[in-house]
Amino acid sequence: MAGSIFGDIFSVVTWGESHGKGLGVVVDGCPAGLPLAEEDIQRYLDRRKPGETRYSTPRKEGDKVEILSGVFEGRTTGTPISMMVLNTSQRSRDYSEIASYYRPGHADYAFDQKYGFRDYRGGGRSSGRETIGRVAGGAVASKILAELGIKINAYVRSIGDIEVDSGKIKLENIEKSPLRMPDLEASERAEEFLEDQMKNHDSAGGVIECVITGVPAGIGDPVFGKLDAALAQAVMSIGAVKGVEIGSGFVAAKKRGSENNDEFCINEDGMVDKKTNFAGGILGGISDGSPIVLRAAFKPTPSIFAEQGTVNQSGEEIRVQIKGRHDPVIVPRAVVVVEAMAALTLVDRMFVGMTSRMDQIARFYDKK
Amino acid sequence: MAGSIFGDIFSVVTWGESHGKGLGVVVDGCPAGLPLAEEDIQRYLDRRKPGETRYSTPRKEGDKVEILSGVFEGRTTGTPISMMVLNTSQRSRDYSEIASYYRPGHADYAFDQKYGFRDYRGGGRSSGRETIGRVAGGAVASKILAELGIKINAYVRSIGDIEVDSGKIKLENIEKSPLRMPDLEASERAEEFLEDQMKNHDSAGGVIECVITGVPAGIGDPVFGKLDAALAQAVMSIGAVKGVEIGSGFVAAKKRGSENNDEFCINEDGMVDKKTNFAGGILGGISDGSPIVLRAAFKPTPSIFAEQGTVNQSGEEIRVQIKGRHDPVIVPRAVVVVEAMAALTLVDRMFVGMTSRMDQIARFYDKK
Amino acid sequence: MAGSIFGDIFSVVTWGESHGKGLGVVVDGCPAGLPLAEEDIQRYLDRRKPGETRYSTPRKEGDKVEILSGVFEGRTTGTPISMMVLNTSQRSRDYSEIASYYRPGHADYAFDQKYGFRDYRGGGRSSGRETIGRVAGGAVASKILAELGIKINAYVRSIGDIEVDSGKIKLENIEKSPLRMPDLEASERAEEFLEDQMKNHDSAGGVIECVITGVPAGIGDPVFGKLDAALAQAVMSIGAVKGVEIGSGFVAAKKRGSENNDEFCINEDGMVDKKTNFAGGILGGISDGSPIVLRAAFKPTPSIFAEQGTVNQSGEEIRVQIKGRHDPVIVPRAVVVVEAMAALTLVDRMFVGMTSRMDQIARFYDKK
Amino acid sequence: MAGSIFGDIFSVVTWGESHGKGLGVVVDGCPAGLPLAEEDIQRYLDRRKPGETRYSTPRKEGDKVEILSGVFEGRTTGTPISMMVLNTSQRSRDYSEIASYYRPGHADYAFDQKYGFRDYRGGGRSSGRETIGRVAGGAVASKILAELGIKINAYVRSIGDIEVDSGKIKLENIEKSPLRMPDLEASERAEEFLEDQMKNHDSAGGVIECVITGVPAGIGDPVFGKLDAALAQAVMSIGAVKGVEIGSGFVAAKKRGSENNDEFCINEDGMVDKKTNFAGGILGGISDGSPIVLRAAFKPTPSIFAEQGTVNQSGEEIRVQIKGRHDPVIVPRAVVVVEAMAALTLVDRMFVGMTSRMDQIARFYDKK
């Protein structure tokens, strides 16, 4: 499948460049009858907007979404939902110089090698603005999941070396922290760390953790269609992500089997449960009913004000200072993008999962 | 797409259970004219065979592959290549007891929840033997890559806490180490560590590193079709993998932008190059011409001899000791599986990548 | 894949309803470097516009296309091309009555059964306006084909019982005929026939023939990926099409093998050729270098002014007269839709076909 | 997707050549819990076997199927079902001569152009034996449909000019006719016609009609995912098929709207129904609850004993007489292939169709 399409049954196709006319997404495969309004989408888009704290670029992006199709009298019709955000505040002059050289850590060189040329304005298709389509599509997926009792919460687990204390995570603190860290004390320390980076014209990365609750056991398919494999693709496809892990993740590689195995038990509701959740809610690629836990590592923002060496399109080594409006850290704004990708993945796999058992299919078609 | 199909253009479909009649793969989309013989496949399968050292299960699996279609007079014909390995040494009696309960760390419970019942013999479809199809398919992909000058080398980077010294990695040592660790001194320490685990009826995990050289710049597609996203799905789909990272991976999240950016330069051959390769050969989801570097974290083998608590199918908490033939560590045998998944992914994305530029397409069809 | 996505490598996703805000398409997988402007698209859209002759609905649809992304400095960038046509002349009041019953020959009942309700304004997603996205996408595909020396010409072969004389077909006459019949004498007779239908408040169907020249031999894949199978899906997916045939089509079923086989020969250019082309340019699902010939049967426009019996949503049998603006025949306007679907199909299969042979792939990657 | 894979959710991958080691299919996406045994498959394969009447090749093909995976204790497990038929009676010497030239009406030339060479033994992958995989996969799909109350019946509608009388079709006569014509009188006349063809060393084609009953309204997706479009692709992908039509098909193109529209009514069970079924059970690409009716036109068998002109691989025009064992007509043996393709298509679209409505999805996941 071409590169901007995601999902087998619940599919999204995103489009748009940083400095083109706009960006958008078409959601194909959304079931009919879901209540949906532009506000449902806007709430998600607002969470990725820049300019709200001093740790994100002072660009003002209105990013108002418009639903163009697929909704009639307040409900989805089952046909494609096209959503669009017009670009309003893009200033092309900021980017005129960078057309001639390859910014370190950016996709400029790779795009030129692949396509022969590139839309150099603001990163074009490789800009962070590309995620607008993901987030709008993810907002629809999240609404579906909410109807099924499933909640997705992502937050910043660490920025640079500063990590939240697992014991102090309170979800209600996420939006109280300018960095979306649910441990406010860690958040303050991270703010100080970021101030240092900004003074040094430098940038920072971090880790986002995402917890999904309410997923029924049995979602995901053995072998290539594993739920964790699908989540890994989804999250790794976000720009700047360099690592993904599920449950105990890389730490599991250092543990002994007796430490890492989650023993099954009968919980207070009389249901099968696990005493621990090192598996992160997925066993053999299939959800086991425990919360799904994943983490994504984001590299530091490659756009920095400090001088760097690079090469220009004439093949000369040069020194450059990248001007423009940079985020010293993009991790807090990426929280909603991780949620969106998790939602898109989960809805798609749950839809496929409705065909796992003959008895359920027979019941479905009798009832219809 | 159903769960056992992988790849958009160069596709594989694997099938088979641990204790069924056999396992296999159909490769669809392999170009015509590739020299291919059963020996090409067997060499890869032999690398995943158990029973060769004391750190893998003493089961003897012949695992002789047979090519059933798609090859004529020593070359592929462009039509599906069906390959099969018959099961010969499976002893069902070893597994009769475990039908009744859920092994901790295994997929038993998830399968039952999804499908209503399961083939409990040796893990059925969730057995490590499932990878036979991947490896056979990956051997075909690797042969294609070899014709294009691309090499894939994976090895064990760490077992438990014991990690190879990056400065001491010698690829020629991989097969000299019973643990496929390319730093023989680390390998010896890891052997000692494993002896301890075996004495304690316990198991270990580890990390596999995979390096791909010779990949031209420009492979991979922006947004969802990123090369790193495709690799993440591919590698995370291997049983027991709980984390995947590219280049500096999770470490990147702790670095500053000025540290993590790879400066471009002109190398001694007069070509654009990078001074460092923290990106792991992929920028913006597209290969940049540097070696591609990825790592996968494997959890410790969940099958251990030590007593564990769990739940049976009647919903009672019980204590169990899992009998049978277990690998104290599966990581060394998984090296070739990681290579196979990387090869399958790369061939598929390279094939898609042939349509990136109109001038190249026009040239292709003129020449044909 | 969800229902509004077409193509494996060169993919389009269409969206929009008759009376929503607009309609559009996202083309994903278009190679970089193709010169493309809105005029290229508009020319195709203008050919499907209504209101130009008395045989199409007098609605005036401006149908001005806007390219929103994927084109930079006059050339495609390789990233998704989003195109949109805003709805400007839709009058919802025309359709208020039909919300309550099921129009014979229309999708109303089927939509209600599938989705539980429907956007009843002008047919919603099942309106003929849905083809705007197809035609815009097809215009891009046609531009690619033109660069490869491939031409697609469709025309009306018959309306009702009146068929063009194969010996009198002149492609330059297509646009001279208000019915796009390339035999002007047949066209006149068909006009008379249509006048009769209009007097009787009735409608007519017809057959479109499509001829594709310049296709190299070797396009299409054996078994399910046959070029004729892909074309059949593409063309049958156009609303109102009830039959598709290739070459001699249904007539072949009545012929003897000795009559229907095309003998191979060496033509005047010294190339392998066929003495006849009953195969319609496709043998075993693969193009053979001769022109590809396909025909599509369109049923008569289901919207007629004559009174008909039907059922309303309360389950009562009623008599209705459908008001509004109907095309007495939609076949002439569908000519460009057939061309579009043929172009989309052919580009996709040609892109996949670039990976058929190892020697060609090796040459491609050396050259890059 | 590569050419031998069919279906989005319920997928089959077929493999094998006429004269290779065998042929087979992997079914991925079959739900768990379906009772399945080799006899279920064998019954379908036996219907495509040659050698049972004088109108099919006297080759004896045992064609015994073996299920290799995906079935445990008599029920499907939800994992891939691999099925294989070994080739036992192939005599390669029959085909040695035809390696050097291109048989008229066959895929030889197209294969050589596409792949550079071909497996010339018995047509290789383009042989009619390729359908073994389709039929085995279709047998599984048919079993699923049977559990949902859906029946598929195909039969020969015409051979050459001789057509069954619609009023005299009796399904119970299908297997009584050596030509699978459900009007025994027409069958006798067709036998005489075939005797003539055989005397003249010639061959015949024909039309297969397929009727599917019990399909609930609402299956199929608007635009590209239309049920009729999917059926058209499926049926046109069968070798020798040159045309496909639904309902009144090509005849519809000659009718007036008032004749061709099916009026809705309330039937004796008080349900919405149609007075006629010119639509063939599909409106707007979505099933309407009436029987689905499709027809496929098969060209005459291209292998004939009569002398023909062609070209050899050295580019010389030659005269040839094709030896071997030919079917004078393959249409009766293709009946089960059409049924198989219809079943595969319908199951896949019904599975996708389970996600059309939010209320049904919510109910499904509550119940699970």
Side-chain angles (χ1 to χ4, degrees):
Chain A
M1 225 154 26
S4 289
I5 304 180
F6 183 82
D8 286 343
I9 298 297
F10 182 87
S11 306
V12 294
V13 189
T14 69
W15 57 268
E17 285 86 34
S18 172
H19 283 59
K21 292 194 180 172
L23 303 105
V25 64
V26 182
V27 179
D28 194 18
C30 182
L34 181 76
L36 192 73
E38 284 168 357
E39 302 86 81
D40 293 312
I41 313 300
Q42 195 61 52
R43 249 179 331 131
Y44 279 77
L45 286 175
D46 287 348
R47 288 169 65 204
R48 73 159 291 290
K49 266 205 313 192
E52 307 204 318
T53 74
R54 53 185 272 100
Y55 308 113
S56 71
T57 162
R59 282 193 307 271
K60 282 208 184 103
E61 298 171 354
D63 290 355
K64 287 297 166 200
V65 73
E66 188 173 8
I67 297 179
L68 298 167
S69 69
V71 176
F72 181 58
E73 299 180 342
R75 288 184 299 159
T76 56
T77 60
T79 61
I81 304 167
S82 179
M83 297 181 280
M84 180 173 66
V85 166
L86 289 173
N87 281 330
T88 54
S89 85
Q90 273 50 44
R91 292 180 290 172
S92 284
R93 65 194 139 97
D94 285 348
Y95 297 93
S96 55
E97 188 194 335
I98 62 166
S100 64
Y101 63 80
Y102 302 125
R103 290 170 298 163
H106 277 278
D108 304 342
Y109 175 70
F111 266 66
D112 264 18
Q113 287 299 301
K114 181 177 185 65
Y115 295 121
F117 78 119
R118 70 184 191 279
D119 179 351
Y120 48 78
R121 302 165 302 167
R125 183 69 177 149
S126 70
S127 159
R129 281 186 71 71
E130 165 263 308
T131 59
I132 283 177
R134 302 176 186 243
V135 171
V140 178
S142 296
K143 190 115 203 232
I144 292 172
L145 293 177
E147 302 247 332
L148 302 174
I150 296 167
K151 288 212 178 77
I152 303 184
N153 281 293
Y155 44 81
V156 175
R157 173 138 201 123
S158 66
I159 286 181
D161 270 323
I162 295 136
E163 190 171 350
V164 300
D165 180 335
S166 289
K168 294 184 180 164
I169 291 177
K170 292 189 178 169
L171 297 184
E172 63 269 28
N173 283 343
I174 297 174
E175 291 301 319
K176 290 182 190 156
S177 154
L179 300 173
R180 294 204 167 92
M181 293 182 93
D183 163 358
L184 295 180
E185 195 223 343
S187 176
E188 275 179 40
R189 280 185 289 129
E191 286 190 65
E192 287 164 33
F193 169 77
L194 281 176
E195 294 290 341
D196 276 355
Q197 304 309 312
M198 289 165 79
K199 266 179 221 150
N200 297 327
H201 296 171
D202 217 327
S203 66
V207 172
I208 290 177
E209 187 163 76
C210 181
V211 179
I212 317 175
T213 55
V215 181
I219 306 303
D221 291 281
V223 188
F224 307 119
K226 288 190 168 86
L227 181 56
D228 39 1
L231 287 167
Q233 186 211 342
V235 172
M236 190 71 97
S237 79
I238 303 170
V241 172
K242 300 301 283 184
V244 181
E245 56 181 16
I246 305 285
S248 48
F250 274 85
V251 168
K254 303 193 175 182
K255 290 165 73 184
R256 296 190 304 276
S258 61
E259 287 174 314
N260 194 63
N261 281 349
D262 300 305
E263 297 198 342
F264 288 101
C265 61
I266 302 296
N267 68 16
E268 8 187 76
D269 301 329
M271 308 298 285
V272 174
D273 206 341
K274 286 151 48 203
K275 289 185 188 166
T276 50
N277 186 22
F278 299 124
I282 301 178
L283 281 169
I286 301 171
S287 65
D288 65 14
S290 299
I292 292 172
V293 182
L294 67 85
R295 276 175 303 280
F298 285 75
K299 70 176 185 181
T301 318
S303 288
I304 54 176
F305 292 104
E307 192 183 273
Q308 300 175 90
T310 190
V311 163
N312 65 19
Q313 287 185 311
S314 317
E316 298 159 332
E317 296 194 343
I318 57 172
R319 303 288 300 170
V320 297
Q321 244 182 319
I322 301 172
K323 282 158 199 148
R325 301 165 297 185
H326 313 317
D327 287 305
V329 67
I330 56 101
V331 186
R333 292 178 58 201
V335 161
V336 70
V337 183
V338 170
E339 286 184 10
M341 292 311 302
L344 291 170
T345 305
L346 190 54
V347 167
D348 194 42
R349 299 321 300 176
M350 287 185 74
F351 283 10
V352 172
M354 292 175 70
T355 63
S356 298
R357 289 167 62 164
M358 197 59 222
D359 55 350
Q360 293 176 338
I361 295 167
R363 205 176 308 130
F364 180 93
Y365 273 108
D366 273 346
K367 285 267 162 70
K368 193 166 173 172
Chain B
M1 225 154 25
S4 289
I5 303 180
F6 182 83
D8 285 343
I9 299 296
F10 182 86
S11 306
V12 293
V13 189
T14 70
W15 57 268
E17 285 86 34
S18 172
H19 283 59
K21 291 193 180 173
L23 303 105
V25 64
V26 182
V27 179
D28 194 19
C30 182
L34 181 76
L36 193 72
E38 285 168 356
E39 302 86 80
D40 293 312
I41 313 301
Q42 195 62 51
R43 248 177 334 130
Y44 278 76
L45 286 175
D46 287 348
R47 288 168 65 205
R48 73 159 291 291
K49 266 205 313 192
E52 308 203 319
T53 73
R54 55 183 272 100
Y55 308 112
S56 71
T57 163
R59 282 193 307 269
K60 282 205 185 107
E61 298 171 355
D63 291 355
K64 287 298 165 201
V65 73
E66 188 174 8
I67 297 178
L68 298 167
S69 69
V71 177
F72 181 58
E73 299 182 342
R75 288 184 299 159
T76 56
T77 60
T79 60
I81 304 168
S82 179
M83 297 181 280
M84 179 173 66
V85 165
L86 290 173
N87 282 329
T88 54
S89 84
Q90 273 51 43
R91 291 180 289 173
S92 284
R93 64 196 139 96
D94 287 348
Y95 296 93
S96 54
E97 188 193 336
I98 63 167
S100 65
Y101 63 82
Y102 301 125
R103 291 170 297 164
H106 277 277
D108 303 342
Y109 174 70
F111 265 66
D112 263 18
Q113 287 299 301
K114 181 177 185 64
Y115 295 121
F117 78 119
R118 71 183 191 278
D119 179 351
Y120 48 78
R121 301 165 303 166
R125 182 70 177 149
S126 70
S127 159
R129 281 187 70 71
E130 166 264 308
T131 58
I132 283 177
R134 301 176 186 245
V135 171
V140 178
S142 296
K143 189 114 203 231
I144 292 172
L145 294 176
E147 302 247 331
L148 301 174
I150 297 167
K151 288 211 177 77
I152 303 184
N153 281 293
Y155 45 80
V156 175
R157 172 136 203 125
S158 66
I159 286 180
D161 271 323
I162 295 135
E163 190 171 351
V164 300
D165 180 335
S166 289
K168 295 185 182 163
I169 292 177
K170 292 189 179 169
L171 297 184
E172 63 269 28
N173 283 343
I174 298 173
E175 291 301 319
K176 290 182 190 155
S177 153
L179 300 173
R180 295 204 167 92
M181 295 181 93
D183 163 358
L184 295 180
E185 193 224 344
S187 176
E188 274 178 41
R189 279 184 291 128
E191 285 189 67
E192 286 165 34
F193 169 77
L194 281 176
E195 295 290 342
D196 275 355
Q197 303 310 311
M198 289 165 79
K199 267 179 220 147
N200 296 328
H201 295 173
D202 216 327
S203 65
V207 171
I208 290 177
E209 188 163 73
C210 181
V211 180
I212 317 176
T213 55
V215 182
I219 306 304
D221 292 281
V223 188
F224 307 120
K226 288 191 168 87
L227 181 55
D228 39 2
L231 287 167
Q233 187 212 341
V235 172
M236 190 71 98
S237 80
I238 303 171
V241 172
K242 301 302 283 184
V244 181
E245 55 181 16
I246 306 285
S248 49
F250 273 85
V251 168
K254 303 193 175 183
K255 289 164 74 184
R256 296 189 303 277
S258 60
E259 288 173 315
N260 195 62
N261 280 348
D262 300 306
E263 298 198 341
F264 289 101
C265 61
I266 303 296
N267 68 16
E268 10 186 75
D269 300 329
M271 308 297 286
V272 174
D273 206 340
K274 286 151 48 203
K275 290 186 188 165
T276 50
N277 188 21
F278 299 125
I282 301 178
L283 281 168
I286 301 172
S287 65
D288 64 15
S290 300
I292 292 172
V293 182
L294 68 84
R295 278 175 301 281
F298 285 74
K299 70 176 185 181
T301 319
S303 288
I304 54 176
F305 291 105
E307 193 183 273
Q308 299 175 89
T310 191
V311 163
N312 65 19
Q313 287 185 311
S314 316
E316 298 159 333
E317 297 192 341
I318 57 172
R319 304 289 300 170
V320 298
Q321 244 181 319
I322 301 172
K323 282 160 199 147
R325 301 165 296 186
H326 312 317
D327 287 306
V329 67
I330 56 101
V331 186
R333 290 179 58 200
V335 161
V336 70
V337 183
V338 171
E339 287 184 9
M341 292 311 302
L344 290 171
T345 305
L346 189 55
V347 167
D348 195 42
R349 299 322 299 176
M350 287 184 74
F351 282 10
V352 172
M354 292 175 70
T355 64
S356 297
R357 290 166 63 164
M358 196 60 222
D359 55 350
Q360 294 176 339
I361 296 167
R363 204 177 308 130
F364 180 92
Y365 273 108
D366 274 345
K367 285 268 162 67
K368 193 166 173 171
Chain C
M1 225 157 22
S4 290
I5 304 180
F6 183 83
D8 286 344
I9 299 296
F10 182 86
S11 306
V12 293
V13 189
T14 69
W15 56 270
E17 285 87 33
S18 172
H19 283 60
K21 292 192 179 173
L23 304 104
V25 63
V26 183
V27 179
D28 194 17
C30 182
L34 181 76
L36 193 73
E38 284 166 359
E39 302 85 81
D40 294 312
I41 313 301
Q42 195 61 52
R43 248 176 334 128
Y44 279 77
L45 286 175
D46 287 348
R47 288 169 63 204
R48 72 160 291 290
K49 265 203 315 190
E52 308 204 319
T53 75
R54 53 184 275 99
Y55 310 111
S56 70
T57 163
R59 282 194 307 270
K60 282 206 183 104
E61 298 172 354
D63 291 356
K64 288 296 164 202
V65 72
E66 188 173 9
I67 298 179
L68 299 167
S69 69
V71 177
F72 181 58
E73 300 180 341
R75 287 184 299 160
T76 57
T77 60
T79 61
I81 303 167
S82 179
M83 297 181 280
M84 179 172 66
V85 166
L86 290 174
N87 282 329
T88 53
S89 84
Q90 274 50 44
R91 291 180 290 173
S92 284
R93 63 195 141 96
D94 286 349
Y95 297 93
S96 54
E97 188 193 335
I98 62 166
S100 65
Y101 63 81
Y102 301 125
R103 291 171 297 165
H106 276 279
D108 303 342
Y109 175 71
F111 265 66
D112 264 17
Q113 287 299 301
K114 180 176 185 65
Y115 295 121
F117 78 119
R118 71 183 191 278
D119 179 350
Y120 48 77
R121 302 166 302 166
R125 183 69 177 149
S126 69
S127 159
R129 281 186 71 71
E130 165 263 309
T131 58
I132 284 178
R134 302 178 186 242
V135 171
V140 178
S142 296
K143 190 114 203 229
I144 293 172
L145 293 177
E147 301 247 332
L148 301 174
I150 297 166
K151 289 212 177 76
I152 302 184
N153 281 294
Y155 45 81
V156 174
R157 174 141 199 119
S158 66
I159 286 181
D161 270 322
I162 295 135
E163 190 171 352
V164 301
D165 179 335
S166 289
K168 295 185 182 163
I169 292 177
K170 293 189 179 170
L171 297 184
E172 62 268 29
N173 283 342
I174 297 173
E175 291 300 319
K176 290 181 191 155
S177 154
L179 300 173
R180 295 205 165 91
M181 293 181 94
D183 163 359
L184 295 181
E185 194 224 343
S187 177
E188 275 178 41
R189 279 186 289 129
E191 285 190 67
E192 286 164 34
F193 170 77
L194 281 176
E195 294 291 341
D196 275 354
Q197 304 309 312
M198 289 165 79
K199 267 180 221 146
N200 296 327
H201 294 171
D202 216 327
S203 65
V207 171
I208 290 177
E209 189 163 72
C210 181
V211 179
I212 317 175
T213 55
V215 181
I219 306 304
D221 291 282
V223 188
F224 308 119
K226 289 191 167 86
L227 181 56
D228 39 1
L231 287 167
Q233 186 212 341
V235 172
M236 190 71 98
S237 80
I238 302 171
V241 173
K242 300 302 285 186
V244 182
E245 55 181 15
I246 305 286
S248 48
F250 273 86
V251 168
K254 302 193 175 182
K255 289 165 75 185
R256 297 190 303 278
S258 60
E259 288 173 312
N260 194 63
N261 280 350
D262 301 305
E263 297 199 343
F264 288 101
C265 61
I266 303 297
N267 68 16
E268 11 186 73
D269 300 329
M271 309 295 288
V272 174
D273 206 340
K274 284 152 49 203
K275 289 185 190 165
T276 50
N277 188 21
F278 299 125
I282 301 178
L283 281 169
I286 301 172
S287 64
D288 64 15
S290 299
I292 292 172
V293 182
L294 67 85
R295 276 175 301 281
F298 284 75
K299 70 175 184 182
T301 319
S303 287
I304 53 176
F305 291 104
E307 193 183 272
Q308 300 176 88
T310 191
V311 163
N312 65 18
Q313 288 186 311
S314 316
E316 298 159 333
E317 296 193 344
I318 57 172
R319 303 288 302 170
V320 298
Q321 241 182 320
I322 301 172
K323 283 161 198 146
R325 301 166 296 187
H326 312 317
D327 288 307
V329 66
I330 56 101
V331 185
R333 291 178 59 200
V335 162
V336 70
V337 184
V338 171
E339 287 184 10
M341 292 312 300
L344 291 170
T345 305
L346 189 54
V347 167
D348 195 42
R349 299 323 299 176
M350 287 185 75
F351 282 11
V352 172
M354 292 174 70
T355 63
S356 298
R357 290 167 61 163
M358 197 59 223
D359 54 350
Q360 293 176 338
I361 296 167
R363 204 176 309 131
F364 181 93
Y365 274 109
D366 274 345
K367 285 267 162 69
K368 195 168 170 166
Chain D
M1 222 154 26
S4 290
I5 304 180
F6 183 82
D8 286 343
I9 299 297
F10 182 87
S11 306
V12 293
V13 189
T14 69
W15 58 269
E17 285 87 33
S18 172
H19 283 60
K21 292 194 179 172
L23 303 104
V25 63
V26 182
V27 180
D28 194 18
C30 181
L34 181 75
L36 193 73
E38 284 167 357
E39 301 85 80
D40 294 312
I41 313 301
Q42 194 62 52
R43 248 177 333 130
Y44 278 77
L45 285 175
D46 287 348
R47 288 170 63 205
R48 71 160 291 291
K49 265 203 316 189
E52 307 203 320
T53 75
R54 54 183 274 102
Y55 309 111
S56 70
T57 162
R59 284 194 306 271
K60 283 208 183 103
E61 299 172 354
D63 290 356
K64 287 296 164 203
V65 72
E66 188 173 9
I67 297 178
L68 298 167
S69 69
V71 176
F72 181 57
E73 299 180 342
R75 287 184 299 159
T76 56
T77 60
T79 62
I81 304 167
S82 179
M83 297 181 280
M84 180 172 67
V85 165
L86 290 174
N87 281 329
T88 54
S89 85
Q90 273 51 43
R91 291 179 290 173
S92 285
R93 62 195 141 97
D94 285 350
Y95 297 93
S96 54
E97 187 193 335
I98 61 166
S100 64
Y101 63 82
Y102 301 126
R103 291 171 296 164
H106 276 279
D108 303 342
Y109 174 70
F111 265 67
D112 263 18
Q113 287 299 301
K114 181 178 185 66
Y115 295 121
F117 78 119
R118 71 184 191 277
D119 179 349
Y120 49 76
R121 301 166 303 167
R125 184 68 177 150
S126 69
S127 159
R129 281 186 72 71
E130 165 264 309
T131 58
I132 284 178
R134 302 177 186 243
V135 171
V140 178
S142 296
K143 189 115 204 230
I144 292 172
L145 293 176
E147 302 248 332
L148 301 174
I150 296 166
K151 289 212 177 76
I152 302 184
N153 281 294
Y155 44 80
V156 175
R157 174 142 198 119
S158 66
I159 286 181
D161 270 322
I162 295 135
E163 189 170 352
V164 300
D165 180 335
S166 288
K168 295 186 182 163
I169 292 177
K170 292 191 179 169
L171 297 184
E172 62 268 30
N173 283 343
I174 298 173
E175 291 301 320
K176 290 182 192 155
S177 154
L179 300 173
R180 295 205 167 92
M181 293 181 96
D183 163 358
L184 295 180
E185 194 224 342
S187 176
E188 274 178 40
R189 279 185 289 130
E191 285 190 67
E192 286 164 33
F193 169 77
L194 281 176
E195 295 291 342
D196 275 354
Q197 304 310 312
M198 289 165 80
K199 267 180 221 147
N200 297 327
H201 294 173
D202 216 327
S203 66
V207 171
I208 290 177
E209 188 163 72
C210 180
V211 179
I212 317 176
T213 55
V215 181
I219 306 303
D221 291 282
V223 190
F224 308 119
K226 290 191 167 85
L227 181 55
D228 38 2
L231 288 166
Q233 186 211 341
V235 172
M236 190 71 98
S237 80
I238 303 171
V241 173
K242 300 303 284 186
V244 181
E245 55 181 15
I246 305 286
S248 49
F250 273 85
V251 168
K254 303 193 175 182
K255 289 165 74 185
R256 296 190 303 278
S258 61
E259 288 174 313
N260 194 62
N261 280 350
D262 301 305
E263 298 199 343
F264 288 101
C265 61
I266 303 296
N267 68 16
E268 15 187 70
D269 300 330
M271 309 296 287
V272 174
D273 206 341
K274 285 153 46 205
K275 289 186 190 165
T276 49
N277 187 22
F278 299 124
I282 301 178
L283 281 169
I286 301 172
S287 64
D288 64 15
S290 299
I292 291 172
V293 181
L294 67 85
R295 275 175 303 280
F298 285 75
K299 69 175 185 182
T301 319
S303 289
I304 53 176
F305 291 105
E307 193 184 271
Q308 300 175 88
T310 190
V311 163
N312 65 18
Q313 288 186 311
S314 316
E316 298 160 333
E317 296 194 343
I318 56 172
R319 304 286 302 169
V320 298
Q321 241 182 321
I322 301 172
K323 283 161 198 147
R325 300 166 295 186
H326 313 317
D327 287 306
V329 66
I330 56 101
V331 185
R333 293 178 58 201
V335 162
V336 70
V337 183
V338 170
E339 286 184 10
M341 292 311 301
L344 291 171
T345 305
L346 189 54
V347 168
D348 194 41
R349 300 323 299 177
M350 288 184 73
F351 283 10
V352 172
M354 292 175 70
T355 63
S356 299
R357 289 167 61 163
M358 196 60 222
D359 56 350
Q360 293 176 338
I361 296 167
R363 204 176 309 130
F364 181 93
Y365 274 109
D366 274 345
K367 286 266 163 69
K368 194 167 171 167

